Amino acid sequence: MTSPHPVIDHPEVPAALAEIINALSTAAIDVNAIIGHGPLGQTLGAQVGENTDGDTQKALDVQADEMFAHALGQTDVRWYASEEQDIALELNPGGACAVAIDPLDGSSNIDVNVSIGTIFSIFDAKDDAGASFLRPASEQLAGGYVIYGPHCALVVTFGNGVLMFVLDRDSGRFELAAPELHIPEKTSEFAINASNRRHWQAPVRAYIDTCLAGADGPRGRDFNMRWVGSLVAETHRILSRGGVFLYPGDARKGYAQGRLRMVYECAPIAFLAEQAGGLATDGSKPIMSHKAPDLHARIPLVFGSAEEVREVERAHADDTKALEA
Ligand code: AFP
């Protein structure tokens, strides 16, 4: 287990949240160590069940959830909402905060050694779990993720810019590596699962087709595409060099609102994107203005470089006008 001494200590981390951020970081160091053993360790990618909506649960999904819940149980957290738990757990009745978490996002990549991560959001705790989490994303106190990649990084915002800490494997502590990540306004790189093209709604197809038309089309320049299948890996790339990510709703059964969850995936990622100078919408409206109807509600997500997010918004507006004509 990781030592009880603080593994992250920086004046930009608000004192009221320092204990929670340290607990999340301490558990993340242990999750990172387990992932780092790969196939030499336990079988991490074995399917062990299904979660709330029937998504497959891998062994490490369940183990990571237990590790984060245990670590946060020692802090000022009252409510713990997780992708791996049907309902929010009450950890400490006197706690002042509520944490929503995807303990291990991208778990279909565990067995192929691709970067995966933990995504989290922190709110002030209300007397009721629902009131703590089913509220405008703009009320978040913090949003962030840990990426378990070639290096382990914690990227977090408290509403005053985006900080990146990297795990120093020698000291076992997270050290500040970047005081302010920024998403460039312009990009020529989009991320979408293009295998779903036939299921997309017209505005998404129209936008992606203009990107694919490249220099021969209305955009007048060529675009590149990335799709890792790990939201945290895509987010880290976009925060590092720009880009636009789309997981839209589509015509597949169960995908009308896309695949990603509002409370513990889209809201924290949107908080980070906006704090880094980018944008995040459901295709038309800011994610930060949305509040989830239920804990595991899904919502379409478009985020990244502002110019491209606006292009997607325009495609949706043009489609609406055409339908109303
Ligand atoms: P898993 O956790 O099941 O691997 O899903 C990962 C994810 O929620 C998100 O991290 C990816 O961006 C997205 O799903 C990939 O979805 P597709 O498999 O439909 O491309």
Side-chain angles (χ1 to χ4, degrees):
M1 284 298 285
T2 305
S3 77
H5 301 300
V7 297
I8 183 168
D9 179 11
H10 193 274
E12 289 275 354
V13 178
L17 300 180
E19 184 190 40
I20 294 171
I21 296 296
N22 189 63
L24 286 166
S25 304
T26 302
I29 291 172
D30 293 335
V31 171
N32 186 57
I34 292 169
I35 293 168
H37 289 306
L40 297 180
Q42 62 207 71
T43 308
L44 306 176
Q47 182 171 344
V48 293
E50 291 186 347
N51 67 14
T52 317
D53 274 10
D55 293 345
T56 58
Q57 265 182 330
K58 305 289 176 63
L60 192 55
D61 283 319
V62 175
Q63 187 175 356
D65 181 50
E66 291 166 355
M67 293 166 74
F68 284 107
H70 175 74
L72 291 170
Q74 323 301 317
T75 72
D76 194 25
V77 171
R78 179 171 184 184
W79 302 110
Y80 175 84
S82 166
E83 182 172 47
E84 308 310 330
Q85 302 281 346
D86 291 356
I87 60 170
L89 307 179
E90 188 170 27
L91 300 184
N92 295 302
C97 289
V99 172
I101 191 167
D102 182 355
L104 204 74
D105 182 76
S107 50
S108 59
N109 295 297
I110 288 177
D111 291 333
V112 294
N113 202 17
V114 167
S115 298
I116 52 184
T118 297
I119 311 171
F120 63 90
S121 172
I122 306 176
F123 290 97
D124 63 297
K126 306 289 189 188
D127 277 344
D128 169 78
S132 299
F133 296 112
L134 308 185
R135 61 203 283 193
S138 57
E139 294 180 8
Q140 292 175 91
L141 301 178
Y145 62 83
V146 180
I147 182 168
Y148 309 108
H151 57 265
C152 178
L154 166 69
V155 176
V156 62
T157 183
F158 301 101
N160 186 28
V162 177
L163 303 160
M164 179 169 75
F165 297 87
V166 171
L167 177 62
D168 179 330
R169 296 178 197 271
D170 298 328
S171 69
R173 288 170 47 86
F174 282 98
E175 304 296 349
L176 187 70
E180 192 162 9
L181 294 185
H182 179 73
I183 299 176
E185 167 91 11
K186 289 178 177 295
T187 185
S188 298
E189 192 163 74
F190 67 89
I192 194 166
N193 183 335
S195 70
N196 296 321
R197 185 180 183 282
R198 68 189 185 284
H199 304 298
W200 295 338
Q201 295 157 5
V204 173
R205 200 178 303 134
Y207 168 72
I208 295 295
D209 285 354
T210 60
C211 294
L212 293 173
D216 305 333
R219 303 303 303 277
R221 70 179 191 276
D222 290 340
F223 281 71
N224 192 18
M225 192 191 106
R226 286 284 183 275
W227 189 251
V228 182
S230 172
L231 175 60
V232 169
E234 317 275 9
T235 304
H236 200 74
R237 184 187 62 249
I238 289 170
L239 283 168
S240 302
R241 72 184 190 207
V244 62
F245 171 100
L246 302 88
Y247 209 115
D250 67 45
R252 288 175 292 165
K253 185 174 183 301
Y255 280 80
Q257 292 304 312
R259 176 188 174 107
L260 304 175
R261 314 286 186 158
M262 171 66 195
V263 173
Y264 40 78
E265 291 176 332
C266 300
I269 297 302
F271 194 9
L272 290 165
E274 288 199 357
Q275 284 291 313
L279 293 174
T281 71
D282 62 1
S284 301
K285 288 196 314 179
I287 293 290
M288 294 292 272
S289 65
H290 277 277
K291 66 178 183 177
D294 62 74
L295 201 49
H296 301 290
R298 302 174 197 263
I299 190 169
L301 177 63
V302 178
F303 77 91
S305 294
E307 182 176 88
E308 293 311 308
V309 176
R310 290 193 193 100
E311 282 291 331
V312 176
E313 281 177 37
R314 257 192 292 280
H316 280 81
D318 293 350
D319 186 62
T320 303
K321 282 191 202 120
L323 292 172
E324 289 167 352

